[in-house]
Amino acid sequence: MRLHFLGAAQTVTGSAYLLETNKQRFLIDAGLSQGSAHSYELNARALPFHPRHLDGIILTHAHADHSGLIPRLVAEGFRGPIYATPPTIDLCRIILPDAGTIQEEDAKSENKWRRKHGKNLLTPLYTKQQAEHALKYFERLPYLKRTTLGRNIRLTLHDAGHILGSSIVELEVEGSRLVFTGDLGNVNNQLLRNPATLPHADYLITESTYGNRSHGRVSDRVAKLKEVVLNARGPVIVPAFAVERTQELLFDLHRLIAQGEIPPLPIYVDSPMAVSATALFEKHPNCLAPEIQAMFRTRSPFEMPNMHFIREAEASARLNKLNEPAIIISASGMCEGGRIRHHLYHHLSQEETTVLFVGYQAERTLGRRIRDGAPQVTLFNETIPVRAKVVAIDAYSAHADANGLMDWIGAFEEAPALTFITHGELAASEALAERLAEEHGLISVIPAPGEAYELMPASSSPSTLRLREETA
Ligand SMILES: [Zn+2]
């Protein structure tokens, strides 16, 4: 069998691995490349297979950098099935149509420029309508339910503890066991269960986002959150990703209030996507950490008299006049779009405001400029002075850090014969490869984008695995 590394190779987005046997062809993840000036070209590039000839997609989780290429594949003739856990499918119902809208808007604004300069116009990678159409090819596969794909491939999904519904993919193919971590979560994440550990893999394909870094402790992040809230003299504006980060924050705030550590000040979740995503946590409590499941049996941790979930634009606009201490959690997480820009527009110039960052701020984003201390920023074509207090808590992360990855890989009863390190910047992947060799004696490779490897059946002679490298 052959494994092609189509994306997330020496980078962190665009996850897509093609597994080919003599008879079948499956994709593990089909994600969008994001955050580069060439993202459109990367996402629209020719693929080494025709989507019509694909036998199925196995989706680890709903994040667009893992799922966002699916509508394109369906538009080009792929007809399913797409295997995913029920919460992943529910999240995709929110995330994929939204990705379609963004594709349409991006093409529109790019074409404005192209028209002016006499260039060829772009068509959107896919539309919202095409994304909605793709949803009908999903097939629910609960955790730990072993299923057969075609004639002889067995598939089992295990909890990855990264976001709601996220999975580790275990495939039994031609006498070998392949394990794909997808994005691996943290142990003691609070909200989700710990990533499942597996006894055995012949070939391991692991992410390495934080292969060279370590996160702060959960207790430190809660202490810092408490300090920010207690010191607030006006609104605390929190740009946060709608899925997972918003719910983690709500959970931490709920606990601080319940324990009497902070006053029950008003909390506004002002993002339609975050409101929908929060409802999904309530729909799938069995996928959450045991402590939270117990909580849900009495009352949802997302229900408190002072928590307000806002969908309507009018109610959102009323928050512009807010002066007293309150928490406004809004998207997008890097302040590049969405309602957060309105809150910043109205509150950044006031000294009483606190802007609290709880997520990664990529270069060249508005969030990054504010976080780095820009004295003024441009919002809606106006220059806004930044007088607000700016605070960042870095310990929120949906990914395992370097020690988390090492511990998880170290938990295999039988070490993998070969590990492919993906989904990380090269320095992070190399740091993980080095530690795996030193601490566990593991052999690993860091595939380059487009490379393919021939995997020898592990059952015949796992010690003499041969690799064949080629450029797709
Ligand atoms: Zn993810």
Side-chain angles (χ1 to χ4, degrees):
M1 87 191 97
R2 193 172 291 187
L3 186 59
H4 301 251
F5 294 86
L6 304 181
Q10 302 182 6
T11 181
V12 289
T13 66
S15 281
Y17 310 112
L18 176 69
L19 181 70
E20 259 183 320
T21 66
N22 286 339
K23 300 191 179 68
Q24 289 173 288
R25 216 178 262 119
F26 285 93
L27 266 187
I28 295 90
D29 284 342
L32 287 177
S33 292
Q34 296 170 321
S36 115
H38 309 291
S39 292
Y40 180 87
E41 287 75 18
L42 281 170
N43 291 322
R45 74 193 186 279
L47 297 165
F49 60 92
H50 194 292
R52 229 190 351 253
H53 301 143
L54 197 59
D55 295 289
I57 297 174
I58 302 156
L59 180 60
T60 61
H61 66 288
H63 275 153
D65 64 317
H66 293 255
S67 68
L69 212 57
I70 290 174
R72 177 195 154 186
L73 298 178
V74 172
E76 290 176 5
F78 171 62
R79 287 294 171 264
I82 305 157
Y83 297 98
T85 62
T88 295
I89 298 174
D90 281 344
L91 281 172
C92 282
R93 287 182 201 289
I94 303 172
I95 288 173
L96 292 182
D98 184 67
T101 304
I102 293 170
Q103 295 296 338
E104 289 182 61
E105 284 170 1
D106 283 356
K108 213 187 210 171
S109 73
E110 169 75 15
N111 284 341
K112 238 188 235 167
W113 181 88
R114 287 182 173 238
R115 217 169 267 125
K116 229 189 252 167
H117 294 82
K119 306 253 183 204
N120 289 339
L121 299 189
L122 286 185
T123 44
L125 193 63
Y126 52 85
T127 62
K128 182 182 181 207
Q129 203 184 1
Q130 284 172 316
E132 280 166 349
H133 172 70
L135 295 170
K136 71 179 206 188
Y137 297 102
F138 276 87
E139 216 161 280
R140 297 157 62 93
L141 183 63
Y143 290 125
L144 301 178
K145 190 175 170 205
R146 193 163 175 250
T147 191
T148 305
L149 313 184
R151 254 181 261 165
N152 53 7
I153 300 180
R154 308 256 187 284
L155 161 67
T156 315
L157 301 178
H158 303 265
D159 199 336
H162 164 64
I163 64 166
L164 186 70
S166 61
S167 12
I168 296 162
V169 169
E170 182 183 23
L171 285 169
E172 296 156 72
V173 198
E174 295 178 353
S176 296
R177 194 175 305 259
L178 277 65
V179 172
F180 297 79
T181 61
D183 287 358
L184 203 64
N186 285 303
V187 171
N188 298 330
N189 150 299
Q190 309 287 303
L191 207 50
L192 302 176
R193 289 184 292 216
N194 288 343
T197 51
L198 273 70
H200 169 213
D202 297 304
Y203 296 101
L204 171 66
I205 299 86
T206 180
E207 69 126 315
S208 59
T209 317
Y210 292 105
N212 55 353
R213 277 194 278 171
S214 80
H215 305 322
R217 286 188 313 222
V218 170
S219 56
D220 295 345
R221 112 185 163 199
V222 176
K224 190 132 188 226
L225 180 64
K226 178 183 159 185
E227 190 189 308
V228 170
V229 174
L230 289 179
N231 289 335
R233 289 186 292 134
V236 179
I237 315 268
V238 193
F241 299 113
V243 179
E244 216 62 37
R245 193 57 39 85
T246 293
Q247 292 77 25
E248 273 173 2
L249 262 174
L250 288 177
F251 179 70
D252 282 353
L253 289 165
H254 174 108
R255 225 169 23 176
L256 285 171
I257 292 169
Q259 292 166 352
E261 304 261 349
I262 58 170
L265 72 179
I267 299 168
Y268 301 95
V269 177
D270 183 27
S271 144
M273 200 198 243
V275 176
S276 303
T278 307
L280 290 182
F281 280 74
E282 291 168 332
K283 184 180 170 190
H284 298 284
N286 56 330
C287 294
L288 304 179
E291 186 198 340
I292 318 281
Q293 290 192 29
M295 250 168 139
F296 266 105
R297 280 194 276 278
T298 49
R299 198 176 64 178
S300 158
F302 306 124
E303 259 174 48
M304 289 192 107
N306 57 320
M307 273 186 196
H308 309 281
F309 292 87
I310 296 175
R311 279 188 194 274
E312 297 74 25
E314 269 175 28
S316 170
R318 281 200 289 275
L319 298 178
N320 297 339
K321 296 193 183 71
L322 202 79
N323 287 318
E324 60 273 23
I327 297 168
I328 301 172
I329 303 170
S330 189
S332 73
M334 297 192 204
C335 313
E336 284 295 282
R339 292 181 181 174
I340 189 70
R341 292 172 78 85
H342 293 272
H343 298 304
L344 293 170
Y345 175 81
H346 288 280
H347 293 285
L348 261 184
S349 61
Q350 288 158 30
E351 282 176 12
E352 297 74 32
T353 304
T354 307
V355 181
L356 171 61
F357 289 104
V358 289
Y360 178 70
Q361 303 299 314
E363 276 176 43
R364 291 186 296 277
T365 61
L366 175 62
R368 179 66 167 261
R369 282 196 292 281
I370 298 172
R371 204 198 138 138
D372 285 352
Q376 56 188 45
V377 293
T378 306
L379 268 161
F380 306 112
N381 298 320
E382 272 184 49
T383 303
I384 310 287
V386 183
R387 299 198 187 95
K389 196 167 143 190
V390 177
V391 189
I393 304 180
D394 289 325
Y396 284 94
S397 175
H399 288 267
D401 65 5
N403 287 335
L405 288 167
M406 287 300 294
D407 290 347
W408 186 84
I409 296 170
F412 278 107
E413 287 164 21
E414 210 176 316
L418 184 67
T419 301
F420 292 98
I421 302 180
T422 63
H423 200 290
E425 301 295 343
L426 193 53
S429 301
E430 283 174 347
L432 183 65
E434 217 164 280
R435 282 190 69 180
L436 286 175
E438 274 173 23
E439 296 172 37
H440 298 308
L442 293 187
I443 306 166
S444 51
V445 273
I446 303 168
E451 268 181 3
Y453 288 79
E454 188 79 35
L455 306 184
M456 308 306 284
S459 51
S460 58
S461 175
S463 57
T464 56
L465 297 163
R466 267 194 302 126
L467 301 177
R468 193 148 70 82
E469 204 176 295
E470 59 175 42
T471 311

